[in-house]
Amino acid sequence: MSATPPPQAPTMRERYRAQVRGEVKQAALRQLAESGPGGVSVSAIGKQLGVSGPALYRYFASRDELLTELVIDAYHDLAAALSAAASAGASAGASAAASAGASAAASLAPSPDPRARFEALARAYRSWALAQPHRYRLLFGPPLPGYDAHAQQLVDASQAAMNQLLGVLRELGDHPAAPPPRPLAAQLSAWAQAHVPGIDPATALRAVLVWSRLHGLVSLEIAGNFASMGVDPDQVFEAQLATLTA
């Protein structure tokens, strides 16, 4: 059996293309932070980088294509942040169990604490949005006129973050008192099972409701609504988290 040949290194042209695309996306993110999605302009980016607008269209065929890449990048970054937080929450929960006097056998093979993982994931969701609200608004704010914010590639990219929540809630195990009604249960089951096997309709519904509450709270916070009320958003978040884990 012949050995698999090593992958070929990118050519100089490929490296240059990747470099230019990266610089264009960084410039677009700055525009996004300053003016929102409507302020992203390929021509303005070209002037900033010293390249003509038509030349940049060799790297991104349109502004919508550039926005789509920014959206997909943001979804991937959010999912990575949630995954890292959930993993850290599991480690913290295991350490706490061992220090609290868990048996020697349990200490050797601790079970991740799903409640600690859930709390870590929720906090990471908020932290990610607060650290870069322009990217959060790009994902969940009103779409630009004519831009298909629900194209399949964007829906697929968004699912990675939701999969983190579905997995943690499946491990958490406690369900709402009443299961969802039959039509909704079938819809939730079809959606969840396509991405995370073993998710029942009640867990899928809980994931949708948890995400809706977190999103609503975070959206209000980054818009300054709690600040204008003179209310501490940290305490509001902790109160909401307590209701979600009760």
Side-chain angles (χ1 to χ4, degrees):
M1 182 176 179
S2 60
T4 302
Q8 292 185 341
T11 65
M12 183 177 295
R13 181 185 295 273
E14 290 169 338
R15 291 197 301 272
Y16 178 75
R17 179 177 178 81
Q19 177 184 339
V20 172
R21 284 172 58 84
E23 291 178 1
V24 170
K25 288 200 283 187
Q26 287 302 313
L29 286 174
R30 291 191 292 270
Q31 291 181 337
L32 187 67
E34 294 169 0
S35 307
V40 175
S41 165
V42 174
S43 297
I45 291 172
K47 291 179 181 178
Q48 180 181 340
L49 299 181
V51 181
S52 68
L56 281 188
Y57 284 112
R58 296 201 300 266
Y59 301 94
F60 293 96
S62 64
R63 185 195 65 169
D64 283 1
E65 182 179 303
L66 175 56
L67 285 173
T68 293
E69 291 229 8
L70 296 181
V71 170
I72 292 174
D73 287 349
Y75 274 130
H76 288 170
D77 287 353
L78 174 58
L82 299 185
S83 176
S87 297
S91 299
S95 298
S99 63
S103 66
S107 298
L108 290 173
S111 298
D113 179 359
R115 192 169 300 277
R117 293 186 66 203
F118 173 77
E119 291 181 356
L121 183 148
R123 290 193 171 94
Y125 184 91
R126 177 183 179 231
S127 296
W128 191 91
L130 293 180
Q132 37 200 345
H134 55 295
R135 298 181 81 195
Y136 189 84
R137 293 189 187 99
L138 177 66
L139 298 184
F140 301 115
L144 290 173
Y147 181 75
D148 185 4
H150 302 288
Q152 191 59 48
Q153 61 179 329
L154 301 183
V155 173
D156 292 342
S158 71
Q159 188 62 39
M162 186 61 80
N163 289 348
Q164 296 294 324
L165 178 59
L166 285 168
V168 170
L169 291 179
R170 178 181 59 187
E171 295 171 11
L172 197 57
D174 45 340
H175 291 157
R182 183 170 298 175
L184 179 59
Q187 295 164 8
L188 290 166
S189 182
W191 164 68
Q193 290 287 341
H195 303 288
V196 181
I199 299 293
D200 58 82
T203 300
L205 175 59
R206 188 176 185 188
V208 172
L209 295 178
V210 165
W211 172 69
S212 299
R213 290 183 181 184
L214 287 175
H215 168 64
L217 188 147
V218 166
S219 297
L220 289 170
E221 182 175 2
I222 64 176
N225 289 281
F226 296 132
S228 67
M229 296 166 62
V231 173
D232 182 354
D234 292 337
Q235 294 188 45
V236 174
F237 175 80
E238 292 301 325
Q240 177 67 283
L241 188 57
T243 66
L244 294 175
T245 58

